[in-house]
Amino acid sequence: MEKQITRRNAIGKIAATITVAAVSPGYLAQSPKQYKIHNAEGPDLTDPTTKYPKPPFKRQFQPFPGLASKMDPVPDHGEESYVGSGRLRGRKALITGGDSGIGRAAAIAYAREGADVAINYLPEEEPDARQVIELIRKAGRKAVAIPGDIRDENFCKELVSEAVEQLNGLDILVNNAGHQKTHPSVLDISTEEFDRTMKTNIYAPFWIIKAALPHLKPGSCIIGLSSVQAYDPSEDLYDYAQTKAATTSYVKSLAKQLGPKGIRVNGVAPGPVWTALEISGGQTQEKIEKFGGDTPIGRPGQPAELASIFVQLADNSASFTTGHIYGAAGGSGQP
Ligand code: NAD
Ligand code: MG
């Protein structure tokens, strides 16, 4: 008992240090101050229905890929709230799309859990990426920025070799980058647009996994990004939805293939989450206004609310968990 209290106090102190260290004047200018940050002293009984903004949201559009920092409200990626406890000490992670949204929340959490983190993103996203790099460094970990377009097979190979070189190894791969564009009819989807969705969401993870696999030792893991769209596809996301079903399939297939090698493969299937993907063509403006309102929680998720899932799946305390899809959809997800 005495020991437990001592340990809790110690974690509390570490937490306080990390929270202070994570806030820099440059970042504060855009931090989502409106969010309630849980007070670490008491029990966390924050009501999930009122924790974050609910619809109606302001209609807003940014050209693809969009910047999280220009969204209204600015998403919460855990910048001021995520507290680590050494769960990924010494691990080495590569996260595609780590500049914003769900990937950024995972990057912040991984760094605060003790991992060195490389992020990939598109060159237009440099302002978002810089904030993430700064946050990883403030957590005391190595941060590696590798911009580039993952629709290119050669770049995918370079991305992995650069990450391995800079991190001196690799043991967590998060294939998070994705492209989503709403189209009212299948007739509106050009071959070029269809190709962008397939290349980003299906080919790139395939190329990146192939390049990464020779470096992954037993105890490593791969995490793919599925979606509720894999199970309940929307009428206007014909191409995107099928890539998410494909992701669920590759996770399950690869988990069987790599299980005997000691490499775990899991997926995350979010429901509506407030990110740049949605306001840069991923949804119609009508849907943005009501975004997340039809979930039982009554609002969209914030990226920060998914961070602990990525930590749990990467942590080897979950060593018997492979081939699974972890949902986070505010009550409306399947399976
Ligand atoms: P996001 O826009 O913040 O992140 C997606 C990232 O993908 C971008 O930041 C960008 O860096 C990257 N990307 C896209 N095309 C790329 C390319 N050609 N080359 C390199 N990088 C590229 O949005 P998000 O919602 O956090 O998306 C992350 C993942 O979550 C995606 O796979 C998405 O499909 C999935 N997802 C999101 C939701 C949601 O409601 N937001 C729901 C289910 C699944
Ligand atoms: Mg982005």
Side-chain angles (χ1 to χ4, degrees), residues 65-66 99-100 125 128:
D99 60 300
S100 60
E125 298 173 300
D128 273 358

Side-chain angles (χ1 to χ4, degrees), residues 14-83:
I14 295 166
T17 318
I18 290 171
T19 311
V20 173
V23 177
S24 76
Y27 179 71
L28 267 180
Q30 290 162 322
S31 67
K33 287 198 202 77
Q34 68 270 41
Y35 302 134
K36 294 174 193 169
I37 306 297
H38 165 57
N39 171 8
E41 297 302 310
D44 183 3
L45 284 172
T46 316
D47 180 347
T49 66
T50 55
K51 189 174 178 183
Y52 285 113
K54 286 177 179 250
F57 292 102
K58 226 161 79 184
R59 292 185 177 214
Q60 54 199 287
F61 176 78
Q62 291 181 42
F64 173 81
L67 289 177
S69 42
K70 287 193 176 161
M71 290 175 68
D72 181 11
V74 174
D76 182 6
H77 308 91
E79 288 88 347
E80 295 183 37
S81 57
Y82 191 88
V83 177

Side-chain angles (χ1 to χ4, degrees), residues 94 96 120 146 148-163 173 175 199-200 203-212:
L94 168 61
T96 61
N120 158 254
I146 315 176
D149 193 326
I150 56 171
R151 289 175 300 161
D152 180 75
E153 182 173 5
N154 282 330
F155 173 72
C156 287
K157 289 180 187 162
E158 284 164 23
L159 167 64
V160 172
S161 64
E162 181 74 13
L173 169 62
N175 279 313
K199 285 272 162 53
T200 314
Y203 279 77
F206 166 61
W207 292 325
I208 293 169
I209 287 166
K210 277 177 60 172

Side-chain angles (χ1 to χ4, degrees), residues 64-66 68 77 96-104 120-122 125 148-151 155 175-180 196 200-201 225-229 240 244 268-278 280 283 291 303:
F64 173 81
H77 308 91
T96 61
D99 60 300
S100 60
I102 297 165
R104 177 182 186 143
N120 158 254
Y121 48 92
L122 286 163
E125 298 173 300
D149 193 326
I150 56 171
R151 289 175 300 161
F155 173 72
N175 279 313
N176 163 75
H179 180 67
Q180 172 185 324
R196 179 183 269 276
T200 314
N201 300 5
L225 258 292
S226 184
S227 165
V228 290
Q229 290 296 324
Y240 174 82
K244 294 298 159 178
V268 178
V273 181
W274 187 247
T275 68
L277 172 126
E278 306 293 357
S280 61
Q283 302 285 349
F291 197 59

